[in-house]
Structures are given as structure tokens and as C-alpha cells.
Amino acid sequence: MTPIDVLTAGEAMVMLAPHGPLGEADAVDLRVGGAEANVACFLAAAGRPTAWLGALGADPFGDRVQAHLERYGVDTRHVRRDPGRPTGLYAKDPSPTGETAVWYYRRGSAASGMGPDAAAAVARCAPRVVHLSGITPVLSQAADALCRALLAEARRHGARVSFDVNHRPGLWEAARAAPILRAYAAAADIVFVGRDEAARLWGTTTPAEAARAIGAAHTVVKDADIGATSFRAGAEPVFVAAPAVDVVEPVGAGDAFAAGYLHALLGGVDDAGAADELDESSRLQSGHRFSALALGDHADVPPPDVIRRRLGVAAGWTNGAQPVP
């Protein structure tokens, strides 16, 4: 199998997006979401060879999720279809004030049945980066074992590990999550964390405190519409302000940021057309650029043609290092 740039692993679900507050809406849009799948879709649409490792039910919702991923160009050959467990489901609940709550129906899902044997995908596709998030380990003991196995396989095969803390209070309380998520972060090469979730998990108040609390060699702290700061051992912090964006919905922006950063980390194209691995400031700028795409759309991930057009890449562009002619 041809080596790929990024392997993401986690749970993708069908999403119900109501036309108005969930308890009052007469109609909903059927979409697909999931942190790691969102990252994969952004990267694949941007021309990055990307695979998603996960499990789906052998049901119509699973068909919908797999077709969605493939529409963006994501490699789904490592997806397992489980006839004994359903595909996960979640629903958004927008409020008149503009905030959006999320309700999950994922207990006993196909993804919760994933185990460490699935980590063999790393050897099969030889990714340059393995991307994980703090959502998957809490799905089940088996899913936690899978994440640990993926860390080991990434190290064995020379892949860099990217970890998005992505704490979900609805899945586990901060006191239980904090030490586990810190341990995963310490094992990663690059860590993404929101300043607000670091405050919830470790009681920090500034980006610098968040980075120190995590203790990883390289941490990027996202601070909503203020900007993002990169903290690397032995280097001065690098801050890039967030651009002004007309926000339609914030859900998915963190996943988009991680995708944009990784795209530049692996040799994304900057505004001058450079195709080498970009400097840290350019990586953060790329994260903001991708994040703006998610913020400006009701879906977690805009349609692939919108992503390509906004990023200036051509359809069918697959090597991650060519500007549009």
C-alpha cells in the first residue's frame, strides 16, 4: 500500500442538525461529524493523502458516514463494519443566543468496540503522522487500549503523533480525565489544547500555564478568537492572532485548526507557493485559515469543493505540495 501522510483514528457519527432548537424543530438536516473524521476530511480535501481508522455499524447510518468520508477523498480501507453494534448518533441543539449544545447517543456504538488489534493499520499504511484525540480513550476500555497501541505502533514505525486534548465534559468529568489526558499528551510529539479546556482540566488561566501543566515537548494552545500560541522546548513561544471571522457556528473549528496545522507541518503551501515544511508562525496561520472555514459554515466540515476553492487547491490534487497552476 502507498504510504500516506496522516492516519486519524476515532469515532464518526451521524449528526442531526435541527432547524432551530432541538425540542421545537420540525425538520433536521442529516450530517456526519466526529473530531478525528473532521480532521481527515479537511486534510483529504486539501490534497493530503489521509486515512481514517474506525468502526461503523452495518446499518444505513454507517453507509452514510463511510460515503461522507469517501466524498472528501479519505481512505476508508481501514474501516470495520460491525453487524452487532450501531453507528453512533448525536444531535445539535442551537439556542436563540447563538450557543450550540450537543446531545450524544453513542453508548454501545461500533466505535466503542474497537480494540488494540486495529492498530495494525499503522504498519499497513505507513503514515507520517498519527492523529488522535482525547475523545476516543473514554469510549471504552477497548478503545483506550487501541489508542495506547496506536501510540506504540507510531513509535515503532517512525510516525509523529499528534494529540488533540478535546475534553468532552459530557463523557467524563475533569477530575478523572485530567491525568489520563496529560499522559496521552506527554506521549505525543505535538499537542493541541484550548485555553478554556485546560482551565477546566488543570486549573490554568493563561496559555503559558496550560503548556506547563501539560508538560509536553510541543503544545499549541488555542484561545478562541484571540489567537494561538505554540510552546516548544528550547524555543521562544510563537503567537499568531486569529483573523476576524463572521462566525456561523463554532463546532468543528478546533478540528479544522489541527488539520491546518498538520497540513503545514507536513509541507503545506503558503501564500508564496512554498512547499517545504513551513515555520511555526506559518503553521499557526494555516491552522487559523482552516479554522475560519469551519467557523463560516453550519456543517463541521464545509463541502470539499468549498474547501478546495477557499484554500486554492485543485480537485484531484493529491501530493500536498503543489500550488494551483
Side-chain angles (χ1 to χ4, degrees):
M1 184 178 293
T2 303
I4 63 169
D5 281 347
V6 181
L7 173 68
T8 75
E11 180 170 33
M13 298 171 287
V14 165
M15 174 179 66
L16 302 181
H19 298 185
L22 186 59
E24 304 171 7
D26 294 322
V28 299
D29 293 327
L30 197 63
R31 300 175 183 164
V32 173
E36 303 84 2
N38 291 343
V39 171
C41 286
F42 270 109
L43 286 168
R48 212 34 93 187
T50 304
W52 179 74
L53 171 64
L56 301 167
D59 51 33
F61 282 162
D63 296 341
R64 180 70 173 252
V65 172
Q66 186 158 348
H68 169 87
L69 292 164
E70 292 171 354
R71 177 182 170 221
Y72 283 83
V74 177
D75 183 342
T76 62
R77 283 175 286 185
H78 308 288
V79 175
R80 180 171 62 87
R81 303 299 295 269
D82 188 337
R85 294 172 178 262
T87 302
L89 173 71
Y90 72 107
K92 291 185 175 181
D93 186 13
S95 72
T97 63
E99 297 179 353
T100 299
V102 180
W103 295 83
Y104 294 98
Y105 304 91
R106 68 201 317 173
R107 187 182 300 275
S109 68
S112 69
M114 294 187 296
D117 58 309
V122 176
R124 292 198 298 269
C125 63
R128 296 168 66 189
V129 171
V130 173
H131 178 75
L132 306 172
S133 90
I135 298 173
T136 309
V138 73
L139 297 181
S140 66
Q141 289 184 342
D144 182 41
L146 168 61
C147 291
R148 296 176 189 277
L150 285 167
L151 289 174
E153 286 298 297
R155 293 286 175 246
R156 185 173 295 115
H157 295 280
R160 284 190 268 197
V161 175
S162 166
F163 181 70
D164 192 337
V165 171
N166 235 331
H167 175 238
R168 294 289 187 267
L171 291 176
W172 51 349
E173 66 281 4
R176 184 164 72 94
I180 297 171
L181 294 176
R182 182 187 281 117
Y184 270 108
D189 297 294
I190 170 69
V191 178
F192 301 99
V193 66
R195 187 187 62 80
D196 55 344
E197 64 182 340
R200 185 171 61 245
L201 288 164
W202 300 294
T204 59
T205 58
T206 67
E209 288 179 0
R212 285 195 296 270
I214 291 173
H218 187 178
T219 300
V220 174
V221 182
K222 302 166 293 178
D223 196 0
D225 58 352
I226 295 175
T229 309
S230 174
F231 297 89
R232 290 179 293 171
E236 290 296 315
V238 177
F239 171 78
V240 172
V245 177
D246 291 329
V247 178
V248 174
E249 189 172 282
V251 178
D255 306 328
F257 184 96
Y261 184 97
L262 294 176
H263 181 55
L265 177 73
L266 292 168
V269 178
D270 64 13
D271 292 336
D276 293 329
E277 186 170 303
L278 305 181
D279 62 26
E280 192 64 13
S281 178
S282 297
R283 296 173 190 171
L284 296 174
Q285 290 170 4
S286 181
H288 286 315
R289 190 180 184 190
F290 278 56
S291 184
L293 294 175
L295 290 168
D297 200 286
H298 285 289
D300 288 6
V301 185
D305 59 321
V306 172
I307 294 174
R308 287 192 289 265
R309 183 174 68 251
R310 293 283 300 278
L311 295 179
V313 298
W317 179 71
T318 58
N319 67 5
Q322 286 184 331
V324 176

